[in-house]
Structure formats: C-alpha cells, structure tokens
Amino acid sequence: MATERRPIGGGGLAVLLLLQVAVTAAPLALLPFLGLHVAQMGAASVFWTAAILAAPAVTTLAMTPAWTGLARLLSLSALIGWAGGMSAASCVLIALASDPRMLLAGRLVQGLAGGGVVLALAFRAASPSAGRGFALMQQAVSAGCLLGPLAGGLAFEQGRIGALMLGCGGVILAATLATVAASRDLATEPAGEPRSEPSRFRDLPLLGAGMCGSAGAFAFVAFFPAWASAHDPALYTPGLIGLLHSLSWLVAMLVLPLWARGMDGLSPMIALVLSLLGCGLAFAAVPLGAGLVGIVAFRLLQGALFAGQAPALFAAVETLGPSRTVAVARARASLTVGQLVGPFTAGVVLVPLGPSGPLFAAAGLSLAGAVTLAATTHRPRRTRSRAP
C-alpha cells in the first residue's frame, strides 16, 4: 500500500539548500574568469572559450528527453545522488584541467548532472506547495550566484582556482550524501493517479515566455558592462559593476518569500507576466540617462522582479504537464535555450545600434515573453484541476 509523501525535516531541507547553493556557486566561481583561465592554459582561442561556455547547455538540452525514463527507473534520492555525484565529478575535472579539452569535458559533465531538473523536483517534493518549493529553490540559487563569483575572484587572484573547485566538489559530495539519506521518502511525482497526457503544444506559450525571460536577462547581464564602460568608464569600474550584480542577487533572496505567496495565493501565470513585464521595462530604462542613483535603483528592481521568473514558470508549467518530471524538464530546457538565444540576439544588434542596442534587445525579449503569456492567461485556469 502506497504511503503519502511527507516533507523532509529541517535538517534534510538544510542539506538540500546547501547542495543547491554549492552546485550553483561552483560553476559561477570560474565563469567570470573563464577567458583568462583558458588564456593561462596557452589556448587563447575565442573558439575554446565559446565552446566551454556553451558546453553545459548542450548536454542539459540533450538530457531533457531522458528525465522521464530515469524518473520511472530511479527514486528521487537516487536521482539526487546522480546529480550531486556528477556535479562533484565536474568540479574535479575542472580543477585538474591543464588544457582546454579537459576543461570542456568538465563542463559537459556539469550539464549531464541535470541538477537544474533533479533539485527542482526535490524542492517541489519537499514542500507543501509549488510556490513555496520553487521559491525556496530560487533563494538557494540566488545565494550561489552571489557567493560563487566572490569566492572565484579571490581564488583566481591568488592562483587557487583549482583548489577552490576541489573544495566545491568536496562540499557537493558531502551535501549529496546527506541529502540522499534525508530524501528517501520523497517521490518525483505526487501521490494519486497519474495525469493524462495533454496536448503536446499546450505548454508552448509558457515555455516560449520562459525562454524569452531567460534570454532577456542573460543578454542584459552579458552586455551591461559594455554599455556601462562606454557610458562612463571612470565611474563604472569592474568593481562597481560586480557590486551592482551582487546586489541584484541579494535583493532576489530577500523578496522571494513574497513571490511564493503571490504564486500560491494568486496565480503563477500572473506572477510570471508581472515579472517579465517589469524586467523588460527596467532593462529599457537603464540606457535612458537615469544617472548612477537611477541605475542602482533599476538594478535592484531587476533583481527583485527577475527572482520570481523561474519559480513561477516551474509552477505554471506543472499545471499543464503530463507529469511533474516532464514539466520541470521542459521548463529547465526553455530557460537553457534562453541563455543561448539572449546573448546571441544582443550581439547581433551591438554593431548597428551601439552599446545601448543589446539592452533594448534584452528589454524586447522580456516584453515579448510577457505579451505572449498575457494572450494565453485563460489556459492554466482551465486546466488547474488536473494537478493532483
């Protein structure tokens, strides 16, 4: 006789949070300095840097169709073991890499880990509602995004990036073992009858909106330093740009409980529309001559608004997916595609439109997602009763 799933205890939730922070922070400790790291290996080719940057996205997308089958074969705790073990292995490969090929291999393994899918399922299973589960996950992601570059910067300056990556691998492995032990009673799917297979195209507007939001955010982050340097290089030093970026993630951590209440009490669809719309307007306002105080305000606002996008997307797609696993995997894939599309789109408009062009492109992508979603707001409401 099947038993009802129960949330894990406080200790189990704590190690799950630590695991999410660690698997987020580890790759971000290297990412801002990747080009310099590749150059130190004696391979300053732009090709290697681009390939290593894109590698996790390639394997993440390749793994998307496999998660449904893996979720049927393996328990959630076993999937957590897979994700954490592969993430730790990725850190070790990156730490030991003496040439770009091994560094590329480490980044490919990072994508194969599937932490973005598996840990989302874990947070959802450990929480009583979609809003609370996915918002808690995003808080841990925000903490990792804040800590990773700070730790990486210090380690890189001291020539200790390899030691840092080994340390991250050790933390990930320890947190994985503890989380596996604490999550044995959790399941990837909720108790009850499985949901029937809906139309394959029903979640496409949501996935498209998620892709646009991710594309807009990554386009802005990638090209904001170029705009700032062209606008006032004496004022916008790398230190100030990094501080603005860190403050955005700090604000995100603080406001996510409010997003959780909005998603649970109102609608994840409405929360996603508001986030996309607000981010788009904030992106567009930056190059309009707001001054330093205005830029700081807009960056803080962007952090607060962007915080709700991924949790709202996961929660909304869950109401339409044939299973929670399929929904989370598709949502994660859409965000990954956005990470590739955004910088490419912004780069295309850089030459004809100048440094402000990519920021307006970022705004356009986010606003396009909001418009797409606003035109289909009736769909999740019609199918909400499907969720067990």
Side-chain angles (χ1 to χ4, degrees):
M1 180 177 177
T3 58
E4 184 178 353
R5 173 186 60 81
R6 61 173 177 82
I8 58 179
L13 193 58
V15 292
L16 177 59
L17 284 165
L18 175 61
L19 179 57
Q20 180 67 79
V21 171
V23 299
T24 304
L28 289 177
L30 175 64
L31 213 56
F33 320 101
L34 182 60
L36 295 175
H37 193 53
V38 171
Q40 288 179 352
M41 293 176 173
S45 170
V46 174
F47 165 78
W48 279 114
T49 301
I52 293 167
L53 280 170
V58 173
T59 44
T60 294
L61 294 174
M63 282 291 291
T64 298
W67 289 116
T68 304
L70 288 173
R72 292 194 187 105
L73 294 172
L74 302 174
S75 65
L76 181 53
S77 60
L79 290 175
I80 292 171
W82 163 280
M86 294 289 279
S87 296
S90 170
C91 289
V92 171
L93 287 172
I94 291 171
L96 300 179
S98 58
D99 61 78
R101 292 175 181 83
M102 193 168 179
L103 194 58
L104 178 64
R107 294 276 289 169
L108 288 170
V109 171
Q110 178 191 324
L112 288 175
V117 174
V118 173
L119 296 186
L121 291 170
F123 275 100
R124 179 64 181 94
S127 303
S129 68
R132 288 178 63 182
F134 293 132
L136 188 61
M137 175 192 72
Q138 191 63 27
Q139 281 186 294
V141 169
S142 299
C145 290
L146 177 61
L147 295 174
L150 294 177
L154 293 174
F156 193 81
E157 286 181 358
Q158 299 174 11
R160 305 284 292 173
I161 196 71
L164 175 64
M165 296 306 296
L166 284 176
C168 288
V171 171
I172 290 172
L173 187 58
T176 298
L177 294 174
T179 305
V180 167
S183 62
R184 297 192 185 279
D185 293 330
L186 299 183
T188 53
E189 300 295 334
E193 294 297 320
R195 288 174 281 181
S196 59
E197 179 76 34
S199 167
R200 182 177 295 273
F201 302 106
R202 185 171 294 173
D203 59 359
L204 284 183
L206 272 168
L207 298 177
M211 183 202 72
C212 287
S214 176
F218 273 77
F220 183 89
V221 170
F223 286 91
F224 173 72
W227 173 85
S229 297
H231 181 68
D232 191 342
L235 175 62
Y236 292 101
T237 62
L240 178 59
I241 292 172
L243 177 62
L244 291 174
H245 189 61
S246 297
L247 287 175
S248 295
W249 287 114
L250 180 61
V251 170
M253 286 191 291
L254 296 176
V255 305
L256 272 160
L258 298 178
W259 280 110
R261 294 176 189 174
M263 284 181 278
D264 288 337
L266 188 59
S267 162
M269 171 73 80
I270 294 175
L272 184 53
V273 170
L274 291 175
S275 177
L276 289 166
L277 181 62
C279 282
L281 294 176
F283 292 155
V286 167
L288 297 181
L292 179 59
V293 174
I295 299 299
V296 171
F298 285 131
R299 292 296 285 131
L300 294 177
L301 181 62
Q302 289 158 16
L305 292 169
F306 182 70
Q309 274 189 33
L313 176 66
F314 285 129
V317 175
E318 183 183 329
T319 66
L320 299 181
S323 73
R324 183 177 289 168
T325 304
V326 171
V328 169
R330 288 177 179 174
R332 176 56 62 188
S334 72
L335 296 177
T336 301
V337 172
Q339 295 172 19
L340 300 174
V341 170
F344 174 80
T345 303
V348 168
V349 303
L350 176 61
V351 173
L353 299 182
S356 296
L359 305 193
F360 288 127
L365 287 165
S366 189
L367 292 174
V371 170
T372 299
L373 205 51
T376 57
T377 51
H378 64 287
R379 294 185 179 181
R381 294 176 185 173
R382 231 172 29 203
T383 60
R384 185 174 295 276
S385 60
R386 289 181 175 272

